[in-house]
Amino acid sequence: MVFKCKICGGTLDVKQGERTVVCEYCGVRQSIPSFIEPKTQEIYDRANNYLMHNEFDKAENLYAQILFDNKTDADAYWNILMCHYGVTYVKDPKTGQYIPTCNRTLFRPIFNDPNYENAIKYANDSQRQLYIHNAQIIDNVQKGILSVSKREKPFDIFISYKETDINGTRTKDSIAAQDLYEKLTAEGYKVFFSRITLEDKIGTEYEPYICAALASSNVMITVCSSKENIESVWVKNEWSRFLGFAAKDSTKTLITLYFDMDKAELPEDFAYLPAYNMKLPGFEQEFIRGIKKLIPLPVMLLEKRKKRNKILKRIGLAAAVCAAAGVICTVPWFMKLPDYNTAMQLYYDRNYPEATWAFADLGSYRDSEEMKDKCERSWRNSLATVVLKNDMGLATTGTYYINNNGEVNSFFSDPGNMGSADNIHPDEHGKITSITLGYPFLYALHEDGYVDNVAENNDLPDVSDWNDIVQISPFFNSTNIALKADGSMIYGDLNSTHFHKEDTDEWLSSLSEWSNIVSFDYSINRAGNGSLIWACVTGIQSDGNLKIATYSMPGYGNQLVFDDSIIENFHDVQKVKTCFTYDNQNAYINICALGKDGTLQVFSNGKFSESKIENILDLYIYDGYKQMEQYFLTNSGKYMREDEDFILLEDVVSIQNDFLVTRVGTIFENTSITKCDEKAIVYNEWIERMQ
């Protein structure tokens, strides 16, 4: 099998069994993959070509495909690592040797990267030595870049655009971007605009300054006039890295300004990001006004204020300041500031429920109303179900997902008329955030907290209370339930008989007494006709305690056995899952919970146990005869069984009961790890919680 050099493209002379080889053209030693299939060879060559041309994201996707078929290929892990750090090789004019440099800077040391760890784990001796040697060089380069970038003053705004076209001529994007730069600078903002900011720098020295600006800027503005320009290598390198920062810092915002092109031509990554046509009347005034809302106090003005404060101190105005402070403390505006700061900290900590309540208590103070809505949306997104399978019985088993446009589609089978999606239409309530099963229509939670089909499914003439919803459940016997943004639970007509005349949901009435609920879980076991055999709902309160309601079908052979006092064993819970196991006589509720302190708390087969567990982000438990199975999602995106070291799937960001969703939206069936052709929406809140 013929391999091409990743640095210069020359043909490598590889002997049988070798895993590293020196290119006779550029002199760089490199590793060789372990696959032998021609189809994989084609993917590998395409990936290497992208890597050579600095198209790191495209290259990474192809290397990941190789790993999907062979999870022990050390070379593929190493190449993904090179993509993460944007490693390219440049020729040293002094020595004539090619040395690695980084076009992407990460604040995590390369030795802590999971791809480095896997490359070392699966490498043979020659590969391992090569990886360790090159990693040390890259780590030193990274440290040098970070050392320079730390000395740079922060920016407010980063403008990303394509400077020249294929002929070296300045683009109209560049001209429009410079006009924007001058207007924003005149407003007092500190703006990174490469044509001016980097004009006294050498090209090989750009990265430290770009890294510093990307990390510090609150806003990135991409300016583009064509699909080719916005997706050009270095422009994409900038905005994809900024989106990476934004995934971990919700205060960062990417805004796209486009002209001479259609909005639909923008990259898929921008589907839910603000985008504005620069040619529309009044654009400039509206845009500048919007920027002022996002960044009320530019860094530049903040520095001036600090200097002014120093002058005040020097001329001895301490007494005046103390007097002024005494007056200010009597002003309600100032007195609410600590509560506002506390609410903001809850938001930054991604404690969306308590942040929602804290901003609600502040009323119209500053931007509390806007922040309350923002926190509520993030709470709603974090709990969303975007893929589900119809398990209500009665012949059909449709499967549904929410796509990137916030629309509901079905796949795998004809959904028929059970849980039909036909009655869901994003309208004045915005896109669909979450879906769950109902009869005769699916329930659909919109981004503004409105739920579709409550009246139809629950026989309710008045649904005025069904607003500000953050989480929904499927249909039980006669109704579904939902969590409201005030922490209370709501349900429909508990005695409705339009689905199963003999069954009601009176067992749910205790939910009206629940309060301060931040999320809930449910388990349902149905008969062939769709009626409930066993069910339970478990709520998590903001203090980490649990609430539970249970149901067992009267007269059914295996009655549900459970002592409500069991839940008193659970403490500081942040995630809970429940399921049923059964034997020849009874059925049992199993509860598995993750504690905020990193404990795994389990009640199973009549026993409670607690153990320390690290790096677990979410869990899934599967019911069956006599015992349950546990699956874990780590904070690095690895999905695995409790009793196995082998990773079932990587890059997972959400467990959706019967399905898994990866970072790019790919859907996999859960326990079989079968890939589906469809792609679901992925919320930033899922990605932000990852390591």
Side-chain angles (χ1 to χ4, degrees):
M1 190 170 286
V2 177
F3 292 103
K4 296 290 185 181
C5 175
K6 304 170 194 174
I7 286 75
C8 68
T11 302
L12 299 175
D13 183 15
V14 183
K15 296 181 174 60
Q16 183 71 28
E18 281 187 332
R19 284 291 170 263
T20 63
V21 64
V22 176
C23 175
E24 63 178 297
Y25 302 100
C26 65
V28 176
R29 178 174 290 277
Q30 54 206 274
S31 63
I32 301 299
S34 57
F35 61 78
I36 57 174
E37 299 83 1
K39 182 179 178 180
T40 309
Q41 167 84 53
E42 179 185 346
I43 296 173
Y44 182 75
D45 289 341
R46 286 168 53 208
N48 285 351
N49 186 60
Y50 283 135
L51 186 60
M52 285 175 57
H53 292 88
N54 303 328
E55 297 195 54
F56 305 115
D57 295 321
K58 292 181 179 179
E60 180 181 347
N61 288 335
L62 292 176
Y63 291 128
Q65 287 184 36
I66 295 173
L67 282 177
F68 187 79
D69 294 324
N70 181 5
K71 295 184 181 299
T72 62
D73 192 329
D75 183 69
Y77 285 113
W78 178 259
N79 291 333
I80 289 177
L81 188 70
M82 296 299 96
C83 294
H84 283 183
Y85 287 85
V87 175
T88 54
Y89 282 77
V90 295
K91 192 172 185 178
D92 187 336
K94 295 181 181 178
T95 64
Q97 295 181 334
Y98 283 85
I99 57 174
T101 186
C102 299
N103 296 294
R104 290 178 166 179
T105 305
L106 301 180
F107 294 94
R108 176 179 60 195
I110 190 171
F111 302 106
N112 295 344
D113 192 295
N115 290 289
Y116 174 78
E117 295 171 355
N118 282 325
I120 295 297
K121 178 180 179 181
Y122 297 117
N124 67 8
D125 289 341
S126 63
Q127 286 178 313
R128 190 173 295 110
Q129 292 176 12
L130 177 64
Y131 295 155
I132 293 172
H133 173 73
N134 284 349
Q136 188 61 63
I137 296 174
I138 294 168
D139 187 59
N140 290 335
V141 173
Q142 289 272 301
K143 288 177 179 177
I145 291 172
L146 290 173
S147 176
V148 174
S149 64
K150 285 178 181 178
R151 296 195 294 268
E152 287 296 293
K153 293 181 180 179
F155 286 86
D156 295 305
I157 299 168
F158 190 112
I159 300 180
S160 180
Y161 66 99
K162 185 172 176 61
E163 175 64 28
T164 57
D165 60 21
I166 193 171
N167 300 315
T169 304
R170 187 181 183 189
T171 64
K172 53 186 176 181
D173 303 36
S174 172
I175 296 169
Q178 182 162 346
D179 183 55
L180 187 64
Y181 164 79
E182 291 169 353
K183 287 181 171 62
L184 290 170
T185 302
E187 292 287 343
Y189 292 101
K190 187 174 182 185
V191 183
F192 182 93
F193 175 64
S194 60
R195 182 178 180 86
I196 294 175
T197 310
L198 300 177
E199 62 183 347
D200 59 343
K201 307 292 189 299
I202 302 173
T204 55
E205 298 175 351
Y206 286 170
E207 175 56 22
Y209 306 99
I210 293 174
C211 171
L214 288 171
S216 64
S217 296
N218 293 94
V219 173
M220 169 178 275
I221 301 170
T222 58
V223 178
C224 60
S225 62
S226 69
K227 179 178 175 66
E228 292 72 26
N229 286 359
I230 190 68
E231 293 186 339
S232 61
V233 173
W234 292 114
V235 175
K236 185 175 182 180
N237 182 42
E238 289 172 350
W239 58 253
S240 64
R241 291 168 67 187
F242 186 84
L243 288 177
F245 283 119
K248 298 179 180 179
D249 182 357
S250 58
T251 64
K252 289 180 174 289
T253 303
L254 189 149
I255 301 171
T256 301
L257 306 183
Y258 64 94
F259 62 99
D260 295 351
M261 63 181 291
D262 192 273
K263 184 178 179 180
E265 297 179 83
L266 294 174
E268 197 173 293
D269 306 69
F270 292 11
Y272 291 97
L273 299 175
Y276 304 96
N277 188 336
M278 299 180 74
K279 294 293 182 71
L280 291 179
F283 155 76
E284 185 179 303
Q285 293 84 351
E286 287 297 314
F287 179 72
I288 295 295
R289 188 172 62 156
I291 289 293
K292 288 180 178 178
K293 286 185 178 181
L294 283 173
I295 317 175
L297 186 64
V299 170
M300 187 177 292
L301 297 184
L302 180 60
E303 292 174 353
K304 290 180 181 179
R305 190 178 70 172
K306 288 179 179 179
K307 290 179 181 178
R308 186 166 62 248
N309 287 342
K310 289 180 180 179
I311 294 172
L312 288 174
K313 290 179 181 179
R314 288 173 185 169
I315 62 176
L317 291 180
V321 170
C322 290
V327 174
I328 290 173
C329 287
T330 66
V331 180
W333 185 93
F334 189 79
M335 292 175 69
K336 285 188 175 183
L337 186 58
D339 293 335
Y340 179 85
N341 290 338
T342 299
M344 287 299 297
Q345 189 59 54
L346 289 168
Y347 174 67
Y348 292 143
D349 292 341
R350 295 193 287 278
N351 187 343
Y352 301 125
E354 295 196 56
T356 300
W357 303 335
F359 281 116
D361 289 342
L362 286 165
S364 59
Y365 177 75
R366 297 181 69 171
D367 61 346
S368 293
E369 292 177 343
E370 294 178 16
M371 284 303 303
K372 183 260 182 188
D373 291 341
K374 187 173 184 179
C375 294
E376 186 181 313
R377 284 196 300 272
S378 290
W379 185 7
R380 188 174 296 119
N381 291 346
S382 68
L383 300 176
T385 297
V386 301
V387 191
L388 64 87
K389 182 183 294 183
N390 186 346
D391 61 356
M392 292 178 66
L394 297 180
T396 59
T397 55
T399 307
Y400 311 90
Y401 71 101
I402 303 175
N403 63 23
N404 272 329
N405 295 321
E407 301 165 339
V408 180
N409 293 329
S410 62
F411 64 105
F412 280 165
S413 61
D414 181 2
N417 60 2
M418 275 298 298
S420 171
D422 295 340
N423 209 37
I424 295 176
H425 304 289
D427 48 19
E428 70 271 18
H429 297 288
K431 298 173 181 176
I432 305 301
T433 295
S434 189
I435 51 175
T436 191
L437 293 169
Y439 176 77
F441 304 109
L442 291 180
Y443 294 102
L445 175 59
H446 290 253
E447 58 186 351
D448 69 349
Y450 175 84
V451 183
D452 266 338
N453 300 324
V454 172
E456 294 85 346
N457 292 345
N458 295 346
D459 282 348
L460 291 177
D462 181 9
V463 293
S464 57
D465 288 340
W466 287 76
N467 52 54
D468 296 327
I469 304 297
V470 293
Q471 186 181 5
I472 53 178
S473 82
F475 193 87
F476 290 97
N477 274 320
S478 59
T479 182
N480 75 317
I481 63 174
L483 171 60
K484 297 193 67 171
D486 62 4
S488 66
M489 303 294 296
I490 191 171
Y491 45 75
D493 185 352
L494 300 181
N495 295 295
S496 171
T497 58
H498 78 293
F499 184 48
H500 286 289
K501 294 183 179 180
E502 69 276 14
D503 301 315
T504 68
D505 277 331
E506 280 293 336
W507 65 282
L508 291 170
S509 61
S510 63
L511 272 62
S512 62
E513 301 173 3
W514 293 10
S515 61
N516 299 323
I517 303 297
V518 299
S519 67
F520 66 86
D521 184 58
Y522 52 84
S523 288
I524 296 174
N525 191 294
R526 295 188 185 276
N529 65 354
S531 61
L532 292 189
I533 299 175
W534 314 304
C536 74
V537 176
T538 311
I540 303 176
Q541 294 183 300
S542 57
D543 60 5
N545 292 325
L546 295 183
K547 306 288 286 185
I548 193 164
T550 64
Y551 172 84
S552 187
M553 178 189 283
Y556 189 77
N558 298 62
Q559 284 296 294
L560 193 62
V561 177
F562 185 73
D563 182 353
D564 288 0
S565 64
I566 293 298
I567 64 172
E568 296 175 5
N569 292 286
F570 293 85
H571 58 92
D572 294 324
V573 174
Q574 63 175 338
K575 184 75 66 173
V576 66
K577 295 292 181 182
T578 56
C579 71
F580 303 106
T581 55
Y582 57 91
D583 55 28
N584 293 329
Q585 295 180 329
N586 297 306
Y588 308 91
I589 294 179
N590 300 270
I591 304 175
C592 190
L594 291 177
K596 299 174 185 176
D597 56 356
T599 55
L600 179 65
Q601 304 165 36
V602 178
F603 176 74
S604 180
N605 295 328
K607 295 181 180 179
F608 178 84
S609 63
E610 184 173 337
S611 58
K612 199 73 174 178
I613 189 165
E614 295 181 353
N615 303 322
I616 300 302
L617 188 66
D618 204 349
L619 47 84
Y620 169 75
I621 58 177
Y622 180 75
D623 51 6
Y625 182 64
K626 291 190 177 181
Q627 65 179 20
M628 67 174 179
E629 294 181 358
Q630 299 177 51
Y631 296 79
F632 297 131
L633 172 62
T634 71
N635 56 13
S636 60
K638 297 174 182 176
Y639 185 69
M640 61 188 71
R641 274 187 56 161
E642 60 167 326
D643 55 350
E644 298 178 0
D645 292 330
F646 184 72
I647 299 168
L648 297 173
L649 189 64
E650 294 197 64
D651 213 24
V652 177
V653 293
S654 182
I655 301 174
Q656 300 275 302
N657 291 322
D658 295 316
F659 299 94
L660 305 170
V661 177
T662 69
R663 186 181 296 265
V664 296
T666 304
I667 302 169
F668 288 82
E669 285 195 278
N670 196 327
T671 52
S672 66
I673 315 298
T674 302
K675 185 179 180 181
C676 308
D677 293 332
E678 291 73 13
K679 281 198 173 185
I681 187 171
V682 174
Y683 295 113
N684 288 335
E685 288 78 7
W686 299 351
I687 299 173
E688 288 170 4
R689 64 181 186 161
M690 309 302 287
Q691 187 178 47

